[in-house]
Amino acid sequence: MTKLRLSVSLFAAIFAVGALEVCALPSKAIMPIALTVNMAPQVSPTRHDGRIQIEDLQKIAGPLWRGKLTYLDYSANTLRSIPSNLLVTASKEDSAIWLWSYGYDDEPHANAKDGIKLSDDGRQLGKENLVERRITDNGTLILITSMSGQDDNRPAQFRFTYTITDHAFTRQKEVKLDSGGDYFVRHTYAWTR
């Protein structure tokens, strides 16, 4: 049974996609709560590969994804959700760079764009290092990446899980503070098209 861990941008505590950390969550910091979300397909993986492929990113490029961002609001120590959309396009200047444009209908001031570079060897997406790539029996692509960073001005390790099908895409960000404790879900983007 695979646990789904996925996410992407809103503000500093929320957003940490590869090359650029953008964001500034409209809340005050408190203690994170431990949370595990089990949204993964309940099938065993069938194919493994040690690198992200251009075709993987082409699956999420194209038409606009619509859905929501659910994030841990530190000020209230609770989960909150806001509408979100994502448009991913290949850069015309550099075929290794993918442009991610995040939109928030209710909070347009938080809209963000990021250029994320796929490394030549397919083992890095921006600053994220590939941990695992697999395709399940039903064709769902799952990418798990990790990186170091800051969560609420505290050193931390991040784990991202991307789950991609033809009509659904989720990105979950989990955080593990360097000061101790287990991973907890910081935010999850869930989109469809």
Side-chain angles (χ1 to χ4, degrees):
M1 202 180 291
T2 304
K3 295 219 179 198
L4 226 189
R5 296 164 184 89
L6 173 65
S7 35
V8 179
S9 137
L10 179 53
F11 339 93
I14 290 186
F15 178 179
V17 154
L20 219 13
E21 274 197 310
V22 181
C23 313
L25 191 70
S27 62
K28 296 184 176 69
I30 292 196
M31 298 295 290
I33 58 174
L35 175 67
T36 301
V37 178
N38 185 357
M39 299 169 43
Q42 302 301 312
V43 293
S44 61
T46 55
R47 291 174 280 173
H48 300 271
D49 190 350
R51 63 186 203 92
I52 300 169
Q53 301 172 14
I54 296 281
E55 294 80 15
D56 298 342
L57 297 175
Q58 288 171 337
K59 288 181 181 185
I60 60 173
L64 186 69
W65 293 95
R66 292 199 164 278
K68 67 181 179 176
L69 165 66
T70 301
Y71 64 93
L72 176 58
D73 179 349
Y74 281 160
S75 69
N77 204 29
T78 188
L79 293 175
R80 302 210 186 275
S81 294
I82 61 172
S84 167
N85 59 63
L86 173 70
L87 181 64
V88 177
T89 56
S91 168
K92 293 178 181 170
E93 289 80 37
D94 185 341
S95 62
I97 295 179
W98 295 81
L99 307 173
W100 295 53
S101 298
Y102 297 91
Y104 305 95
D105 296 341
D106 296 343
E107 299 186 36
H109 64 278
N111 291 354
K113 292 183 181 180
D114 197 7
I116 302 170
K117 185 170 184 171
L118 177 62
S119 66
D120 291 340
D121 65 3
R123 298 186 197 288
Q124 281 192 304
L125 186 60
K127 293 181 182 178
E128 299 172 31
N129 298 304
L130 181 65
V131 174
E132 181 179 354
R133 177 191 183 274
R134 71 179 179 271
I135 300 174
T136 65
D137 291 336
N138 68 357
T140 299
L141 171 64
I142 298 173
L143 303 172
I144 300 174
T145 64
S146 66
M147 67 178 277
S148 298
Q150 295 268 323
D151 183 69
D152 194 38
N153 296 315
R154 297 172 291 181
Q157 301 302 309
F158 301 132
R159 180 169 56 201
F160 301 93
T161 302
Y162 299 76
T163 304
I164 304 163
T165 69
D166 290 340
H167 302 289
F169 174 30
T170 58
R171 182 179 187 269
Q172 184 174 77
K173 176 184 177 183
E174 292 178 289
V175 174
K176 182 177 183 179
L177 299 174
D178 287 355
S179 59
D182 293 327
Y183 278 98
F184 60 92
V185 176
R186 185 64 169 104
H187 68 261
T188 303
Y189 285 92
W191 297 291
T192 59
R193 66 178 177 199

